[in-house]
Amino acid sequence: DTGVSQDPRHKITKRGQNVTFRCDPISEHNRLYWYRQTLGQGPEFLTYFQNEAQLEKSRLLSDRFSAERPKGSFSTLEIQRTEQGDSAMYLCASSLADREANEQFFGPGTRLTVL
Amino acid sequence: AQKITQTQPGMFVQEKEAVTLDCTYDTSDPSYGLFWYKQPSSGEMIFLIYQGSYDQQNATEGRYSLNFQKARKSANLVISASQLGDSAMYFCAMREGWNRDDKIIFGKGTRLHILP
């Protein structure tokens, strides 16, 4: 399977703990996006990378959140001192910008539950 | 103000009938792109169809077509001959501006139920 993969698929943690999620994009895609989706809502943009450079961050991304893409391939999203409000589905997407549509292809997501 | 509005929280449609899912958008930028994504219960977002703001013709992809009415800022998704596997959440989304890197803004979605 050469689609976007995310790990883990599910994470349950206690409030105050740190969590880290991983995203592996489609191999030739140079752009990688992180979104957050809460129940009954559409995905909300968090941040995106072009190769290893983080080019945009949403104001939703508080200082407890950090994302990296060190070699321009996989990316990690870390949440420090988790809060119950962080419970959501975290979606990763990748794209290849040489297409006019530049459609983003999404992974299966990581569902985070903060107790 | 909402950038993407989907007014139908849920819809029930008989199998084999055509379905129209409504979407209106709000932007002052002359250059933008419109997308529809499907999200089954498994959670993965599946890209369905794209319409560029300067495209003269409505986009079509198999059973999916996008009814693009630019003056009304409307981008409805039409699914012909619906199937049970079409039951899912459907999200309309928009990317504003010339920069194709820009983030996509999603609506709240419409849950479609196909009845046997």
Side-chain angles (χ1 to χ4, degrees), chain A residues 71-85:
Chain A
K71 297 182 179 179
S73 56
F74 74 91
S75 175
T76 58
L77 178 68
E78 181 183 14
I79 308 174
Q80 296 182 328
R81 305 181 303 282
T82 52
E83 302 173 356
Q84 288 184 327

Side-chain angles (χ1 to χ4, degrees), chain A residues 31 37 97 101-102 104, chain B residues 37 39 50 95 100-101 103:
Chain A
R31 291 184 174 82
Q37 186 179 22
N102 190 23
Q104 296 176 20
Chain B
Y37 281 84
Q39 188 175 42
Y50 168 81
R95 183 185 62 233
R100 293 176 300 176
D101 301 345
K103 61 184 178 292

Side-chain angles (χ1 to χ4, degrees), chain A residues 35 42-44 106, chain B residues 4 37 45 91-94 104-108:
Chain A
Y35 291 83
E44 295 174 294
F106 283 78
Chain B
I4 297 288
Y37 281 84
M45 299 285 286
F91 292 96
C92 179
M94 176 175 65
I104 292 177
I105 302 166
F106 287 84
K108 293 189 175 183

Side-chain angles (χ1 to χ4, degrees), chain A residues 9 31 33 35 37 40-43 45 48 50 56 89 91 97-104 106-108, chain B residues 35 37 39 42-47 50 52 55 89 91 95 99-109:
Chain A
R9 295 291 305 276
R31 291 184 174 82
Y33 304 78
Y35 291 83
Q37 186 179 22
Q41 302 293 321
F45 170 79
Y48 102 90
Q50 178 174 321
E56 188 174 348
M89 176 79 87
L91 294 165
D98 68 346
R99 287 174 56 81
E100 193 267 338
N102 190 23
E103 64 267 32
Q104 296 176 20
F106 283 78
Chain B
F35 303 80
Y37 281 84
Q39 188 175 42
S42 59
E44 188 165 351
M45 299 285 286
I46 302 168
F47 167 73
Y50 168 81
D55 293 343
M89 281 290 288
F91 292 96
R95 183 185 62 233
N99 187 353
R100 293 176 300 176
D101 301 345
D102 284 345
K103 61 184 178 292
I104 292 177
I105 302 166
F106 287 84
K108 293 189 175 183

Side-chain angles (χ1 to χ4, degrees), chain A residues 47-50 53-57, chain B residues 101:
Chain A
T47 188
Y48 102 90
F49 293 83
Q50 178 174 321
Q54 188 173 17
L55 296 188
E56 188 174 348
K57 292 168 60 174
Chain B
D101 301 345

Side-chain angles (χ1 to χ4, degrees), chain A:
Chain A
D1 189 305
T2 57
V4 179
S5 61
Q6 293 186 246
D7 184 69
R9 295 291 305 276
H10 303 272
K11 178 71 177 178
I12 300 174
T13 190
K14 293 183 179 179
R15 189 176 55 181
Q17 298 294 305
N18 299 344
V19 294
T20 300
F21 310 141
R22 176 179 171 127
C23 171
D24 287 87
I26 294 171
S27 59
E28 64 268 26
H29 285 185
N30 58 350
R31 291 184 174 82
L32 187 150
Y33 304 78
W34 285 98
Y35 291 83
R36 181 174 69 186
Q37 186 179 22
T38 53
L39 204 60
Q41 302 293 321
E44 295 174 294
F45 170 79
L46 292 178
T47 188
Y48 102 90
F49 293 83
Q50 178 174 321
N51 300 315
E52 66 275 10
Q54 188 173 17
L55 296 188
E56 188 174 348
K57 292 168 60 174
S58 163
R59 57 183 171 81
L60 293 175
L61 215 65
S62 75
D63 55 4
R64 296 185 296 106
F65 289 70
S66 62
E68 294 183 344
R69 194 183 183 198
K71 297 182 179 179
S73 56
F74 74 91
S75 175
T76 58
L77 178 68
E78 181 183 14
I79 308 174
Q80 296 182 328
R81 305 181 303 282
T82 52
E83 302 173 356
Q84 288 184 327
D86 297 331
S87 295
M89 176 79 87
Y90 290 84
L91 294 165
C92 175
S94 69
S95 71
L96 184 63
D98 68 346
R99 287 174 56 81
E100 193 267 338
N102 190 23
E103 64 267 32
Q104 296 176 20
F105 294 89
F106 283 78
T110 294
R111 184 170 294 282
L112 172 66
T113 302
V114 181
L115 302 176

